[in-house]
Amino acid sequence: MPVLFTSGIILIGLLWYHFYSKGKVKREGAIFHWFALLGRHQYDELENELMTILKEKGLREGDPFDETVITSKIKIFKKPTDFDKVLNKVSDYFCKELDLNKEGVLHKFFQSVPDESIITLPGILVFHAKFKSVSHPSMKIVISKKPIEGTLPSGDYEFKKPIQICAFLINSDENPKQQLRMLSRLLDIFEREKIVKTLLKMDSHREIKEFLLQNERFVSIKLLEGTPQDTMIGKQLKDIQLPKDVLVALVERNDKTFTPNGSTVLVTDDVLTILGETKSIAKLYKEYMSYEIDKLDTEETS
């Protein structure tokens, strides 16, 4: 009886497929696209589908995206500039930071490769490259208050002007999948609504980095007197009682941002960027980010 019942189900399924659903199946997708390259059923939305898959999968544990953002260098041009100046600044930085050859850096950013080394978004250009000698990811972000003038030095690249933000991401070619995941996360951020206007309003490197990190795993705390966090003022970072699974990643002091260590003494008006597990971050937010703090910040700004 079990065999007969199973056979009956299979038979009904085959009949249903043959007489009802066979002509209604629409095959589209990544795998079908590659086969269709040899035929006439190419799926034009392959790139969007693959990017969507990457975004849904997201970063993996161990992908150093947050660390790369924290250690990234940001250059803000307040006066008019051009692509030649931007590219010279960026290539000089990577030569010093990663011990790379300047011509090699520029060649990688503009070489014609299947995955495209330049990605264009409205008002934004994202450059990415991989090198054998690189041991860790590195990123440089350029923000120009005025539209960047001139043209790119090589290649027939079409992009929507004006361009005011350029991001450069370099990683090791031994980990191409990690590069794709980090690149996908970066693009996801740059696709936020009114992203260009938002970043152009920011002059603080800390604010820009916090915006790029923006998620439930970080909190920003300003040390003000007369608030719960004034107990941190005057103490070394190692002496402050914080949850074990959080890290003070950045400190902004007098409009300058730096990475602290255990002996860093915190002072009034320091702004701490703290990363960590969701529960601990939520606890810190509830403990320190009250209405009174927001009120004090507003009064100070005005």
Side-chain angles (χ1 to χ4, degrees), residues 73-77 85 89 140-144 205:
K73 295 299 180 182
I74 297 174
K75 175 65 179 177
I76 300 176
F77 288 98
K85 186 174 181 179
K89 288 280 186 182
K140 174 90 173 180
I141 297 173
V142 174
I143 298 175
S144 177
H205 291 193

Side-chain angles (χ1 to χ4, degrees), residues 44 128 149 163 208-209 217 219 257:
D44 295 329
H128 60 102
E149 300 173 351
I163 298 296
I208 294 169
K209 291 182 179 182
R217 297 173 64 92
V219 67
T257 303

Side-chain angles (χ1 to χ4, degrees), residues 53-165:
I53 291 171
L54 281 172
K55 288 178 181 178
E56 288 175 351
K57 286 183 175 295
L59 296 171
R60 292 184 180 178
E61 185 175 354
D63 286 345
F65 181 81
D66 289 354
E67 293 89 335
T68 303
V69 171
I70 290 169
T71 58
S72 65
K73 295 299 180 182
I74 297 174
K75 175 65 179 177
I76 300 176
F77 288 98
K78 295 185 177 181
K79 296 181 179 180
T81 187
D82 54 39
F83 281 114
D84 286 340
K85 186 174 181 179
V86 169
L87 293 170
N88 273 318
K89 288 280 186 182
V90 170
S91 57
D92 287 341
Y93 166 72
F94 284 123
C95 287
K96 183 178 179 181
E97 173 71 12
L98 301 175
D99 193 25
L100 297 174
N101 176 270
K102 185 172 183 176
E103 288 73 19
V105 171
L106 292 175
H107 174 72
K108 280 280 189 178
F109 281 142
F110 293 102
Q111 69 178 347
S112 178
V113 292
D115 64 343
E116 294 297 338
S117 54
I118 303 178
I119 299 174
T120 66
L121 295 169
I124 302 173
L125 292 180
V126 179
F127 301 76
H128 60 102
K130 300 185 292 289
F131 289 86
K132 287 184 178 180
S133 59
V134 171
S135 60
H136 62 277
S138 183
M139 184 160 59
K140 174 90 173 180
I141 297 173
V142 174
I143 298 175
S144 177
K145 300 293 186 178
K146 304 291 183 180
I148 301 175
E149 300 173 351
T151 58
L152 298 178
S154 63
D156 298 325
Y157 299 105
E158 296 182 1
F159 51 87
K160 295 181 180 180
K161 291 187 175 182
I163 298 296
Q164 291 184 263
I165 297 174

